[in-house]
Amino acid sequence: MSDGPPSRNNLKDETSPYLLQHRDNPVHWQPWGQAALDRAKAEGKPILLSVGYAACHWCHVMAHESFESQSIADLMNQRFRQHQGRSRGAPDLDAIYQHALQLLGEQGGWPLTMFLTPAGEPFWGGTYFPPEPRWAGRAFPRC
């Protein structure tokens, strides 16, 4: 099924304005879907799911600060299978993981950043993750 981990970002052919905003990130983003989930499961690698929408201010800030950073992308590409979802195009996906975030004792919102087992079960999450620790100490290098 898999010929090794994706070595590139696979959002270039998406139609969502939100997903297309991330097509040039050095993060090896994969669109959310069964094939990507099957690959994560086969590799046994945790999933980093990022959900947002095109008009979200903090989604743009996090994309610029974290997802456009080569050093952050290198960490993400090494540790996780990255998947992008969009709140407007997949409201069920957004609702499921927003609820899971609240059950984990966190406040929901966008960007929604969820860390999942290879089977798609949430184990940690939050909203905005900057490139260095701020406020609650969250940052991608600490994930």
Side-chain angles (χ1 to χ4, degrees):
M1 165 190 261
S2 161
D3 57 355
S7 59
R8 65 182 177 88
N9 181 316
N10 285 325
L11 298 181
K12 67 178 177 50
D13 295 325
E14 294 300 307
T15 58
S16 158
Y18 177 73
L19 295 181
L20 289 173
Q21 288 175 350
H22 295 279
R23 71 179 170 230
D24 295 322
N25 296 161
V27 175
H28 297 166
W29 291 119
Q30 308 300 306
W32 183 261
Q34 193 58 51
L37 289 169
D38 290 346
R39 188 172 186 150
K41 194 180 287 187
E43 293 174 2
K45 215 168 188 182
I47 298 167
L48 188 155
L49 172 64
S50 179
V51 178
Y53 67 100
C56 169
H57 170 75
W58 286 105
C59 296
H60 287 280
V61 171
M62 189 167 75
H64 176 67
E65 290 182 348
S66 296
F67 302 152
E68 292 175 10
S69 163
Q70 187 64 57
S71 62
I72 299 297
D74 290 345
L75 287 171
M76 292 172 67
N77 294 335
Q78 177 185 20
R79 295 177 184 174
F80 304 100
R81 296 287 281 127
Q82 292 78 227
H83 299 278
Q84 276 282 359
R86 60 193 196 281
S87 64
R88 306 271 177 183
D92 55 336
L93 175 72
D94 186 55
I96 289 166
Y97 290 111
Q98 289 285 353
H99 183 68
L101 185 62
Q102 291 172 2
L103 290 174
L104 290 168
E106 300 289 334
Q107 183 173 338
W110 297 285
L112 173 62
T113 306
M114 292 299 295
F115 297 88
L116 314 172
T117 67
E121 300 159 339
F123 62 86
W124 189 54
T127 53
Y128 168 68
F129 282 73
E132 67 276 331
R134 297 182 195 152
W135 308 299
R138 291 190 175 120
F140 273 115
R142 289 188 170 185
C143 296

